[in-house]
Amino acid sequence: MKEKTVNELKLGEIGIVNNIIGEEGIKRRLLDLGLIEGTNIKPVLVSPSGDPRAFEFRGSLIAIRKEDAKNIKIK
Amino acid sequence: MSKIEKLSTKQKEAKTKCVHTIALAGNPNVGKSTIFNNLTGMNQHTGNWTGKTVANATGYFEYRGETYKIVDIPGTYSIMSHSEEEEIARNYICFGNPDSTIVVVDATSLERNLNLVLQITEITDNLIVCVNLLDEAKKKKITIDLEKLSKILKVPVVGVTARNKKTLNSLLKVMRNACEGKEKINQIYQIQYQEKIEKAIEQVKQIINKQYKIQEKLARWISIKVLDGEEHILKEIEKQLQIQLINNTEIDKVKKEVLKALEKEGIYQEELKERIVATIVKDAEEIGKKVCKFEKEDYANRDRKIDKILTSKKYGIPIMIVFLLLIFWITIVGANYPSQFLFSVFGSIQEKLIEFATYIHCPEWLSNMLILGVYQTLTWVISVMLPPMAIFFPLFTILEDLGYLPRIAFNMDGFFKKACCSGKQMITMCMGFGCNSCGVTGCRIIDSPRERLIAILTNNFVPCNGRFPFLITIATIFIAGTIGGIGASIVSTIAVIFVIILGIIMTLVISKILSKTILKGMPSSFVLELPPYRKPQFLKVLVRSIFDRTIFILGRAIAVAAPAGLVIWLFANIGIQGESLLTIIANFLDPLANLMGLDGYILTAFILGIPANEIVLPIILMCYMQGTSLVNMEDTFVIGEILRQNGWTILTAINVMLFTLFHFPCATTLLTIKKETGSWKWSAISFLIPTVCGIVLCMLTTLVYHVFCL
């Protein structure tokens, strides 16, 4: 079974982060923002062109593009 | 002048007397620079552009008879990875030996901010946590138990509202105590990793301690870095402390052993890194839970509601356009009056100067050269540049302070991604509408060097304040002029908007082409914080935008305008066999100009107008009227008559507008590009790209026009 990513979350739906894969730089930046295993993440905004979306986690609002968000796996 | 001198001597004195050094760290957007400015009394040019301190800014201030040096280091979320700002921040905290490090944290998102605090506790004992934005937290009904936080971290914690200067007193007191060693720190908070990891750290630390005499805390931190294998950090440590960590047989041996042991436990090096980060984040979370109380769970509701509108599919982009148009409209209309005032003041001074020159029997050619050449061009540039910038930048900075700019980037990112660049480029483009030179400097907000360079090279494709009035004048005369009545202003507005849109499309197209050719690469990741909306600090906005941007740019423009004034005067007045140099050059350029649907004088004016786009039209008029100095004309009707008499048609008008949009950047911008990229090569490329585009486009329209109309 394919793992779910945050891209599959609907607006307002909360997911719990499992792990982040992919390139080191972006992975590190997301970790630095506190996106570790067990973090609640919720997409709340979509940009007018559909991508990126803005996610709420740990009290901040961070815009992430689809290509990067697909590396954020959720439980 | 005297005030500035006073300041600088004061600063010099401060430097020699300075006893204590304070570092100011924190996440981006937490008000570090506000604290810095309030402490140093805004004597400092912080060089802060759209929320980013790119290098360390240093300032001095006095408190209770002692002088303090304060270093504002770049805002970062972390000091563990290798972006430029993080490196600067890390190096200063680790090796800059500040007496104390103040970590500024945002009360409204304490948990995330604590992450950085904890990372810093791993490096130094001497830190003060300064919880800022307590007023915002109060609005959102968040309460923070500062005392408890201090007890947990075992460091002094101060709560402030940085925009209110008075609240900084408590920070000063604590800082003074800390510098004099009065803040007794027993045992600062220490992050505890998993037992297996702790054991590994301990083993590496023993070897380091055996080989080098390093302070206990630093040795532990270095051990962690050795284990997680970030080579560039190790290299920096080696350089700063004159020790050897990489290719150190003893360390390598132990490292191999402990990593193997960890692997047996199922922790591979890659995962080790993640566990270390995760431990810190979890610690931060736990502490945050202990000290923060949210009375309203949905404290961000108001912001989300605003966001829903400002970034909605339907209204997001229209609202953005309305905001920007409003700013441009206020700028262009509002700048007229002060501009006219400056013109008349400088004009009357000019008359006095001429009188004075006659009085002292100054030779006429010399007084003409200096007054009608240098003085007039110089004051011209000031009169037309200063008012729009002094209006545009404060307005723009207010948008910035409100927190709206990241939303613009968010709205536009989709389009820019298709051109292989970043949505942040939209922000720099918006600044470019005010002044391309500022836009180029603003490109510092783009992290990826490749994307930053693209943004710098294409910034000139949006017309700046200096080009807008020219575009509007031409559109009014030639495009709307044929219609007349109320329709005229609507048509000319549409024409100008069309030009702007063309500029934006060209920006995207050229960005894409650059990404596929000389600046090959994929769009890098786009991770952008959309900070909470905040009330702008109007006074500070005014001061910051005028000093940091307006005066700065004006200075550069003046430096170019004075010699250019001389050259223009010489060209108009020196001649061979009755023909001025200007005419000779214009005749020389005529064949090329004709192909582009222009005439030689127009091209000459663009070339001589390189110090500032504002003087292109005055030079054209000067040429047509056979004058020897710049011509100031208010009446568009008269301007239209002169232009028509000199053979301007609708084709000429369209091509002039196109070439205004697409030609080489002004000298100030070229200088700024050299400063920002560190090489004249990029200035040359940014000169060539739009110029070639402009020439080709003008030739195309001319060709099409002749094919269809003749």
Short mmCIF file of all heavy atoms in Angstrom, two decimals, chain A residues 24 26-29 31-33 36 44-49 51-54 56 58-65 67-68, chain B residues 78 81 111-112 115 230 270 273-274 281 285 299 304 307-308 311 410-411 413-414 417 421 523-530:
data_model
loop_
_atom_site.label_atom_id
_atom_site.label_comp_id
_atom_site.label_asym_id
_atom_site.label_seq_id
_atom_site.Cartn_x
_atom_site.Cartn_y
_atom_site.Cartn_z
N GLU A 24 18.20 16.28 1.11
CA GLU A 24 18.64 16.66 2.45
C GLU A 24 18.26 18.09 2.84
O GLU A 24 17.74 18.33 3.92
CB GLU A 24 20.16 16.48 2.54
CG GLU A 24 20.74 16.71 3.91
CD GLU A 24 20.26 15.70 4.93
OE1 GLU A 24 19.83 14.58 4.55
OE2 GLU A 24 20.30 16.03 6.12
N ILE A 26 15.94 20.40 1.89
CA ILE A 26 14.54 20.72 2.19
C ILE A 26 14.07 19.94 3.42
O ILE A 26 13.35 20.45 4.26
CB ILE A 26 13.65 20.44 0.97
CG1 ILE A 26 12.16 20.41 1.31
CG2 ILE A 26 13.99 19.15 0.28
CD1 ILE A 26 11.58 21.77 1.37
N LYS A 27 14.54 18.71 3.54
CA LYS A 27 14.16 17.88 4.67
C LYS A 27 14.60 18.56 5.97
O LYS A 27 13.85 18.68 6.92
CB LYS A 27 14.88 16.55 4.51
CG LYS A 27 14.47 15.49 5.46
CD LYS A 27 15.04 14.17 4.99
CE LYS A 27 15.44 13.30 6.14
NZ LYS A 27 16.16 12.12 5.68
N ARG A 28 15.83 19.05 5.93
CA ARG A 28 16.39 19.72 7.10
C ARG A 28 15.59 20.96 7.46
O ARG A 28 15.33 21.25 8.61
CB ARG A 28 17.84 20.10 6.77
CG ARG A 28 18.66 20.46 7.96
CD ARG A 28 19.08 19.19 8.65
NE ARG A 28 19.54 19.48 9.98
CZ ARG A 28 20.50 18.79 10.59
NH1 ARG A 28 21.07 17.78 9.99
NH2 ARG A 28 20.88 19.11 11.80
N ARG A 29 15.20 21.72 6.43
CA ARG A 29 14.46 22.96 6.70
C ARG A 29 13.12 22.66 7.35
O ARG A 29 12.69 23.35 8.26
CB ARG A 29 14.24 23.73 5.41
CG ARG A 29 15.49 24.42 4.95
CD ARG A 29 15.22 25.39 3.86
NE ARG A 29 14.53 26.59 4.34
CZ ARG A 29 14.16 27.56 3.54
NH1 ARG A 29 14.40 27.48 2.26
NH2 ARG A 29 13.56 28.63 4.02
N LEU A 31 12.42 19.99 9.11
CA LEU A 31 12.69 19.53 10.47
C LEU A 31 12.94 20.72 11.39
O LEU A 31 12.45 20.79 12.51
CB LEU A 31 13.92 18.61 10.50
CG LEU A 31 13.74 17.18 9.97
CD1 LEU A 31 15.08 16.46 9.97
CD2 LEU A 31 12.74 16.41 10.83
N ASP A 32 13.72 21.68 10.88
CA ASP A 32 14.03 22.87 11.68
C ASP A 32 12.78 23.64 12.07
O ASP A 32 12.73 24.30 13.10
CB ASP A 32 14.96 23.81 10.92
CG ASP A 32 16.38 23.30 10.90
OD1 ASP A 32 16.70 22.47 11.78
OD2 ASP A 32 17.16 23.71 10.03
N LEU A 33 11.77 23.57 11.20
CA LEU A 33 10.53 24.26 11.52
C LEU A 33 9.68 23.44 12.49
O LEU A 33 8.58 23.84 12.84
CB LEU A 33 9.75 24.53 10.23
CG LEU A 33 10.35 25.61 9.34
CD1 LEU A 33 9.75 25.56 7.95
CD2 LEU A 33 10.13 26.98 9.96
N ILE A 36 8.49 17.16 12.84
CA ILE A 36 9.06 15.86 13.14
C ILE A 36 7.93 14.84 13.27
O ILE A 36 6.76 15.19 13.20
CB ILE A 36 9.89 15.89 14.43
CG1 ILE A 36 9.02 16.37 15.58
CG2 ILE A 36 11.11 16.75 14.25
CD1 ILE A 36 9.58 16.08 16.93
N VAL A 44 -4.37 24.68 5.29
CA VAL A 44 -5.44 25.64 5.53
C VAL A 44 -5.68 26.58 4.36
O VAL A 44 -6.75 27.17 4.24
CB VAL A 44 -5.22 26.47 6.80
CG1 VAL A 44 -5.46 25.64 8.03
CG2 VAL A 44 -3.84 27.08 6.83
N LEU A 45 -4.67 26.77 3.51
CA LEU A 45 -4.86 27.72 2.40
C LEU A 45 -4.34 27.11 1.11
O LEU A 45 -3.38 26.35 1.11
CB LEU A 45 -4.07 29.00 2.66
CG LEU A 45 -4.47 29.91 3.80
CD1 LEU A 45 -3.46 31.03 3.92
CD2 LEU A 45 -5.86 30.47 3.62
N VAL A 46 -4.99 27.48 0.01
CA VAL A 46 -4.49 27.10 -1.30
C VAL A 46 -4.20 28.38 -2.06
O VAL A 46 -5.00 29.31 -2.04
CB VAL A 46 -5.54 26.33 -2.11
CG1 VAL A 46 -4.90 25.69 -3.33
CG2 VAL A 46 -6.23 25.31 -1.26
N SER A 47 -3.07 28.41 -2.74
CA SER A 47 -2.77 29.58 -3.55
C SER A 47 -3.70 29.60 -4.76
O SER A 47 -4.18 28.55 -5.18
CB SER A 47 -1.30 29.53 -3.95
OG SER A 47 -1.11 29.90 -5.26
N PRO A 48 -3.99 30.77 -5.33
CA PRO A 48 -4.95 30.86 -6.42
C PRO A 48 -4.66 29.89 -7.57
O PRO A 48 -5.58 29.42 -8.21
CB PRO A 48 -4.82 32.31 -6.90
CG PRO A 48 -4.37 33.04 -5.70
CD PRO A 48 -3.50 32.09 -4.93
N SER A 49 -3.40 29.58 -7.81
CA SER A 49 -3.13 28.67 -8.91
C SER A 49 -3.13 27.20 -8.46
O SER A 49 -2.74 26.33 -9.23
CB SER A 49 -1.80 29.03 -9.56
OG SER A 49 -0.78 29.02 -8.60
N ASP A 51 -1.32 25.65 -6.29
CA ASP A 51 -0.06 25.22 -5.69
C ASP A 51 0.79 26.45 -5.49
O ASP A 51 0.84 27.29 -6.38
CB ASP A 51 0.63 24.24 -6.66
CG ASP A 51 1.91 23.68 -6.08
OD1 ASP A 51 1.95 23.50 -4.86
OD2 ASP A 51 2.85 23.43 -6.85
N PRO A 52 1.46 26.65 -4.41
CA PRO A 52 1.56 25.83 -3.20
C PRO A 52 0.32 25.91 -2.30
O PRO A 52 -0.58 26.70 -2.54
CB PRO A 52 2.75 26.47 -2.49
CG PRO A 52 2.74 27.89 -2.91
CD PRO A 52 2.24 27.87 -4.31
N ARG A 53 0.35 25.08 -1.25
CA ARG A 53 -0.64 25.20 -0.19
C ARG A 53 0.08 25.64 1.08
O ARG A 53 1.28 25.43 1.22
CB ARG A 53 -1.33 23.86 0.05
CG ARG A 53 -2.19 23.43 -1.12
CD ARG A 53 -3.29 22.48 -0.70
NE ARG A 53 -2.79 21.19 -0.24
CZ ARG A 53 -3.58 20.22 0.24
NH1 ARG A 53 -4.88 20.43 0.33
NH2 ARG A 53 -3.09 19.07 0.62
N ALA A 54 -0.68 26.25 1.98
CA ALA A 54 -0.08 26.65 3.24
C ALA A 54 -0.57 25.72 4.33
O ALA A 54 -1.76 25.42 4.43
CB ALA A 54 -0.43 28.09 3.57
N GLU A 56 -0.62 24.52 8.45
CA GLU A 56 -0.47 25.00 9.81
C GLU A 56 0.14 23.89 10.64
O GLU A 56 -0.37 22.76 10.63
CB GLU A 56 -1.87 25.33 10.35
CG GLU A 56 -1.90 26.48 11.31
CD GLU A 56 -3.34 26.80 11.67
OE1 GLU A 56 -3.99 25.97 12.33
OE2 GLU A 56 -3.82 27.86 11.24
N ARG A 58 2.53 23.49 14.52
CA ARG A 58 3.22 24.12 15.63
C ARG A 58 3.02 25.62 15.67
O ARG A 58 3.95 26.39 15.87
CB ARG A 58 4.72 23.81 15.59
CG ARG A 58 4.98 22.33 15.77
CD ARG A 58 6.43 22.00 15.94
NE ARG A 58 6.57 20.55 15.98
CZ ARG A 58 6.47 19.82 17.09
NH1 ARG A 58 6.26 20.42 18.24
NH2 ARG A 58 6.60 18.53 17.04
N GLY A 59 1.80 26.03 15.40
CA GLY A 59 1.47 27.45 15.57
C GLY A 59 1.94 28.35 14.47
O GLY A 59 1.75 29.56 14.54
N SER A 60 2.60 27.82 13.44
CA SER A 60 2.93 28.72 12.35
C SER A 60 2.32 28.25 11.05
O SER A 60 1.86 27.12 10.92
CB SER A 60 4.45 28.90 12.19
OG SER A 60 5.15 27.93 12.85
N LEU A 61 2.33 29.15 10.09
CA LEU A 61 1.71 28.88 8.80
C LEU A 61 2.82 28.88 7.76
O LEU A 61 3.51 29.88 7.57
CB LEU A 61 0.70 30.00 8.51
CG LEU A 61 -0.15 29.85 7.26
CD1 LEU A 61 -1.02 28.61 7.37
CD2 LEU A 61 -1.01 31.08 7.07
N ILE A 62 3.03 27.75 7.11
CA ILE A 62 4.14 27.63 6.18
C ILE A 62 3.64 27.18 4.81
O ILE A 62 2.89 26.22 4.71
CB ILE A 62 5.17 26.58 6.68
CG1 ILE A 62 5.53 26.80 8.16
CG2 ILE A 62 6.42 26.56 5.80
CD1 ILE A 62 6.44 27.95 8.43
N ALA A 63 4.07 27.91 3.78
CA ALA A 63 3.69 27.54 2.42
C ALA A 63 4.68 26.51 1.90
O ALA A 63 5.89 26.68 2.02
CB ALA A 63 3.70 28.77 1.52
N ILE A 64 4.16 25.43 1.35
CA ILE A 64 5.00 24.36 0.80
C ILE A 64 4.45 23.95 -0.55
O ILE A 64 3.23 23.80 -0.71
CB ILE A 64 5.04 23.14 1.74
CG1 ILE A 64 5.46 23.56 3.16
CG2 ILE A 64 6.01 22.07 1.22
CD1 ILE A 64 5.36 22.44 4.18
N ARG A 65 5.35 23.77 -1.52
CA ARG A 65 4.90 23.34 -2.86
C ARG A 65 4.57 21.85 -2.88
O ARG A 65 5.09 21.09 -2.07
CB ARG A 65 6.00 23.60 -3.88
CG ARG A 65 6.12 25.03 -4.32
CD ARG A 65 7.28 25.15 -5.28
NE ARG A 65 7.45 26.51 -5.76
CZ ARG A 65 8.54 26.93 -6.39
NH1 ARG A 65 9.54 26.10 -6.57
NH2 ARG A 65 8.64 28.16 -6.81
N GLU A 67 5.54 19.48 -4.86
CA GLU A 67 6.67 18.56 -5.03
C GLU A 67 7.39 18.30 -3.71
O GLU A 67 7.97 17.25 -3.51
CB GLU A 67 7.73 19.10 -6.00
CG GLU A 67 7.26 19.40 -7.36
CD GLU A 67 6.85 20.85 -7.43
OE1 GLU A 67 7.69 21.74 -7.56
OE2 GLU A 67 5.63 21.07 -7.31
N ASP A 68 7.40 19.31 -2.85
CA ASP A 68 8.06 19.12 -1.56
C ASP A 68 7.12 18.44 -0.58
O ASP A 68 7.53 17.59 0.20
CB ASP A 68 8.51 20.47 -1.00
CG ASP A 68 9.49 21.16 -1.94
OD1 ASP A 68 10.38 20.46 -2.44
OD2 ASP A 68 9.35 22.37 -2.17
N SER B 78 17.06 27.93 12.82
CA SER B 78 17.93 26.90 13.36
C SER B 78 19.36 27.35 13.13
O SER B 78 19.62 28.26 12.35
CB SER B 78 17.65 25.60 12.60
OG SER B 78 18.75 24.74 12.64
N SER B 81 21.96 23.93 10.04
CA SER B 81 22.22 23.58 8.65
C SER B 81 23.10 24.63 7.98
O SER B 81 23.60 25.54 8.62
CB SER B 81 20.93 23.36 7.89
OG SER B 81 19.88 24.12 8.40
N GLU B 111 6.69 27.92 21.10
CA GLU B 111 7.17 26.56 20.96
C GLU B 111 8.21 26.44 19.85
O GLU B 111 9.31 25.92 20.06
CB GLU B 111 5.98 25.67 20.67
CG GLU B 111 6.29 24.22 20.73
CD GLU B 111 5.11 23.43 20.19
OE1 GLU B 111 3.98 23.63 20.65
OE2 GLU B 111 5.35 22.61 19.29
N ARG B 112 7.87 26.97 18.68
CA ARG B 112 8.81 26.86 17.57
C ARG B 112 10.08 27.66 17.84
O ARG B 112 11.18 27.24 17.51
CB ARG B 112 8.16 27.33 16.28
CG ARG B 112 8.94 26.91 15.09
CD ARG B 112 8.54 27.68 13.87
NE ARG B 112 8.89 29.07 14.00
CZ ARG B 112 8.28 30.03 13.37
NH1 ARG B 112 7.27 29.76 12.59
NH2 ARG B 112 8.66 31.28 13.51
N ASN B 115 12.88 26.10 19.94
CA ASN B 115 13.78 25.21 19.20
C ASN B 115 15.16 25.84 19.04
O ASN B 115 16.18 25.23 19.34
CB ASN B 115 13.13 24.93 17.84
CG ASN B 115 13.83 23.85 17.08
OD1 ASN B 115 14.60 23.08 17.65
ND2 ASN B 115 13.57 23.79 15.80
N GLU B 230 28.29 16.56 9.78
CA GLU B 230 28.14 17.73 8.91
C GLU B 230 29.53 18.32 8.66
O GLU B 230 30.04 19.09 9.45
CB GLU B 230 27.24 18.79 9.57
CG GLU B 230 25.83 18.33 9.74
CD GLU B 230 24.92 18.89 8.63
OE1 GLU B 230 25.42 19.52 7.69
OE2 GLU B 230 23.71 18.66 8.73
N GLU B 270 22.25 8.47 9.32
CA GLU B 270 21.22 9.33 8.75
C GLU B 270 20.11 9.57 9.77
O GLU B 270 19.65 10.68 9.97
CB GLU B 270 20.67 8.64 7.48
CG GLU B 270 19.93 9.53 6.55
CD GLU B 270 20.54 10.91 6.42
OE1 GLU B 270 21.77 11.06 6.20
OE2 GLU B 270 19.77 11.86 6.57
N LYS B 273 20.94 11.84 12.95
CA LYS B 273 20.73 13.27 12.74
C LYS B 273 19.29 13.64 13.05
O LYS B 273 19.01 14.59 13.77
CB LYS B 273 20.99 13.58 11.26
CG LYS B 273 22.16 14.49 11.01
CD LYS B 273 22.16 14.89 9.56
CE LYS B 273 23.37 14.34 8.85
NZ LYS B 273 23.43 14.74 7.44
N GLU B 274 18.39 12.84 12.48
CA GLU B 274 16.98 13.14 12.66
C GLU B 274 16.57 13.03 14.12
O GLU B 274 15.78 13.82 14.61
CB GLU B 274 16.13 12.18 11.82
CG GLU B 274 15.68 12.82 10.54
CD GLU B 274 15.12 11.79 9.59
OE1 GLU B 274 14.09 11.18 9.94
OE2 GLU B 274 15.71 11.60 8.51
N VAL B 281 13.24 19.36 19.11
CA VAL B 281 11.88 19.85 18.83
C VAL B 281 10.91 19.37 19.90
O VAL B 281 10.07 20.13 20.39
CB VAL B 281 11.41 19.38 17.44
CG1 VAL B 281 9.96 19.78 17.20
CG2 VAL B 281 12.28 19.98 16.35
N GLU B 285 8.66 21.47 22.47
CA GLU B 285 7.22 21.29 22.56
C GLU B 285 6.78 21.13 24.01
O GLU B 285 5.84 21.75 24.48
CB GLU B 285 6.84 20.05 21.76
CG GLU B 285 5.35 19.79 21.67
CD GLU B 285 5.03 18.50 20.91
OE1 GLU B 285 5.93 17.98 20.22
OE2 GLU B 285 3.91 18.02 21.04
N TYR B 299 -6.75 30.82 18.27
CA TYR B 299 -6.24 32.19 18.33
C TYR B 299 -5.86 32.76 16.96
O TYR B 299 -5.72 33.94 16.78
CB TYR B 299 -5.05 32.27 19.28
CG TYR B 299 -3.90 31.40 18.89
CD1 TYR B 299 -2.93 31.90 18.02
CD2 TYR B 299 -3.77 30.10 19.36
CE1 TYR B 299 -1.88 31.10 17.64
CE2 TYR B 299 -2.73 29.31 18.98
CZ TYR B 299 -1.78 29.80 18.13
OH TYR B 299 -0.73 29.03 17.73
N ARG B 304 -6.67 33.70 9.77
CA ARG B 304 -7.07 32.73 8.74
C ARG B 304 -8.20 33.29 7.90
O ARG B 304 -8.24 33.11 6.70
CB ARG B 304 -7.53 31.42 9.40
CG ARG B 304 -6.46 30.46 9.84
CD ARG B 304 -5.39 30.20 8.84
NE ARG B 304 -4.34 31.21 8.92
CZ ARG B 304 -3.41 31.22 9.86
NH1 ARG B 304 -3.38 30.30 10.77
NH2 ARG B 304 -2.49 32.17 9.87
N ASP B 307 -6.72 35.67 5.55
CA ASP B 307 -5.98 34.90 4.55
C ASP B 307 -6.88 34.28 3.51
O ASP B 307 -6.58 34.26 2.33
CB ASP B 307 -5.18 33.78 5.25
CG ASP B 307 -3.82 34.27 5.67
OD1 ASP B 307 -3.33 35.23 5.04
OD2 ASP B 307 -3.25 33.71 6.61
N LYS B 308 -8.02 33.76 3.99
CA LYS B 308 -8.95 33.09 3.08
C LYS B 308 -9.37 34.04 1.96
O LYS B 308 -9.56 33.63 0.82
CB LYS B 308 -10.21 32.63 3.86
CG LYS B 308 -9.96 31.36 4.65
CD LYS B 308 -10.57 30.16 3.94
CE LYS B 308 -9.77 28.91 4.23
NZ LYS B 308 -9.90 28.41 5.59
N THR B 311 -6.00 35.28 -0.26
CA THR B 311 -5.35 34.28 -1.11
C THR B 311 -6.37 33.43 -1.85
O THR B 311 -6.04 32.38 -2.37
CB THR B 311 -4.44 33.35 -0.28
OG1 THR B 311 -5.26 32.60 0.60
CG2 THR B 311 -3.40 34.11 0.50
N PHE B 410 3.05 33.96 -2.08
CA PHE B 410 2.25 32.75 -2.02
C PHE B 410 1.26 32.69 -3.20
O PHE B 410 1.12 31.67 -3.87
CB PHE B 410 1.51 32.72 -0.68
CG PHE B 410 0.60 31.54 -0.48
CD1 PHE B 410 1.12 30.27 -0.34
CD2 PHE B 410 -0.78 31.72 -0.40
CE1 PHE B 410 0.28 29.18 -0.13
CE2 PHE B 410 -1.62 30.64 -0.19
CZ PHE B 410 -1.09 29.38 -0.07
N ASN B 411 0.61 33.82 -3.46
CA ASN B 411 -0.35 33.88 -4.56
C ASN B 411 0.29 33.63 -5.91
O ASN B 411 -0.31 33.04 -6.80
CB ASN B 411 -1.03 35.25 -4.60
CG ASN B 411 -2.13 35.38 -3.57
OD1 ASN B 411 -2.63 34.39 -3.08
ND2 ASN B 411 -2.50 36.60 -3.25
N ASP B 413 3.33 32.23 -6.60
CA ASP B 413 4.36 31.20 -6.74
C ASP B 413 4.09 30.22 -7.87
O ASP B 413 4.99 29.81 -8.58
CB ASP B 413 4.54 30.44 -5.41
CG ASP B 413 5.67 29.44 -5.50
OD1 ASP B 413 6.80 29.89 -5.78
OD2 ASP B 413 5.43 28.24 -5.32
N GLY B 414 2.82 29.86 -8.05
CA GLY B 414 2.47 28.90 -9.10
C GLY B 414 2.97 29.34 -10.46
O GLY B 414 3.53 28.54 -11.22
N LYS B 417 6.81 29.29 -10.58
CA LYS B 417 7.36 27.94 -10.60
C LYS B 417 7.45 27.43 -12.04
O LYS B 417 8.40 26.78 -12.42
CB LYS B 417 6.50 27.00 -9.76
CG LYS B 417 7.18 25.68 -9.48
CD LYS B 417 6.35 24.80 -8.61
CE LYS B 417 5.18 24.25 -9.38
NZ LYS B 417 4.30 23.42 -8.54
N CYS B 421 11.34 29.56 -11.29
CA CYS B 421 11.90 30.41 -10.23
C CYS B 421 10.93 30.54 -9.08
O CYS B 421 9.93 29.82 -9.03
CB CYS B 421 12.37 31.75 -10.77
SG CYS B 421 11.30 32.45 -12.00
N PRO B 523 13.55 24.59 -10.20
CA PRO B 523 13.19 25.48 -9.10
C PRO B 523 13.53 24.81 -7.78
O PRO B 523 13.29 23.61 -7.62
CB PRO B 523 11.68 25.64 -9.25
CG PRO B 523 11.23 24.53 -10.13
CD PRO B 523 12.40 24.19 -10.99
N SER B 524 14.14 25.56 -6.87
CA SER B 524 14.48 24.96 -5.59
C SER B 524 13.20 24.93 -4.76
O SER B 524 12.16 25.41 -5.17
CB SER B 524 15.55 25.78 -4.90
OG SER B 524 15.05 27.04 -4.60
N SER B 525 13.32 24.36 -3.57
CA SER B 525 12.12 24.25 -2.75
C SER B 525 11.65 25.63 -2.32
O SER B 525 12.43 26.56 -2.24
CB SER B 525 12.44 23.42 -1.52
OG SER B 525 13.47 24.04 -0.80
N PHE B 526 10.39 25.72 -2.08
CA PHE B 526 9.81 27.00 -1.69
C PHE B 526 9.13 26.77 -0.36
O PHE B 526 8.05 26.21 -0.28
CB PHE B 526 8.79 27.42 -2.76
CG PHE B 526 8.00 28.65 -2.45
CD1 PHE B 526 8.54 29.90 -2.65
CD2 PHE B 526 6.70 28.56 -1.98
CE1 PHE B 526 7.79 31.04 -2.39
CE2 PHE B 526 5.96 29.71 -1.72
CZ PHE B 526 6.51 30.93 -1.93
N VAL B 527 9.84 27.12 0.70
CA VAL B 527 9.26 26.99 2.02
C VAL B 527 9.21 28.39 2.59
O VAL B 527 10.24 29.00 2.83
CB VAL B 527 10.10 26.07 2.92
CG1 VAL B 527 9.53 26.06 4.32
CG2 VAL B 527 10.12 24.67 2.37
N LEU B 528 8.01 28.91 2.74
CA LEU B 528 7.88 30.31 3.11
C LEU B 528 6.92 30.45 4.27
O LEU B 528 5.80 29.94 4.21
CB LEU B 528 7.36 31.09 1.90
CG LEU B 528 7.10 32.57 2.11
CD1 LEU B 528 8.42 33.31 2.21
CD2 LEU B 528 6.28 33.12 0.97
N GLU B 529 7.36 31.14 5.29
CA GLU B 529 6.45 31.36 6.40
C GLU B 529 5.49 32.50 6.07
O GLU B 529 5.89 33.52 5.52
CB GLU B 529 7.23 31.70 7.68
CG GLU B 529 6.26 31.80 8.84
CD GLU B 529 6.91 32.17 10.16
OE1 GLU B 529 8.13 32.43 10.17
OE2 GLU B 529 6.17 32.20 11.16
N LEU B 530 4.22 32.28 6.36
CA LEU B 530 3.26 33.37 6.24
C LEU B 530 3.01 33.88 7.66
O LEU B 530 2.22 33.30 8.40
CB LEU B 530 1.94 32.87 5.61
CG LEU B 530 2.08 32.16 4.26
CD1 LEU B 530 0.72 31.70 3.76
CD2 LEU B 530 2.72 33.06 3.23
#
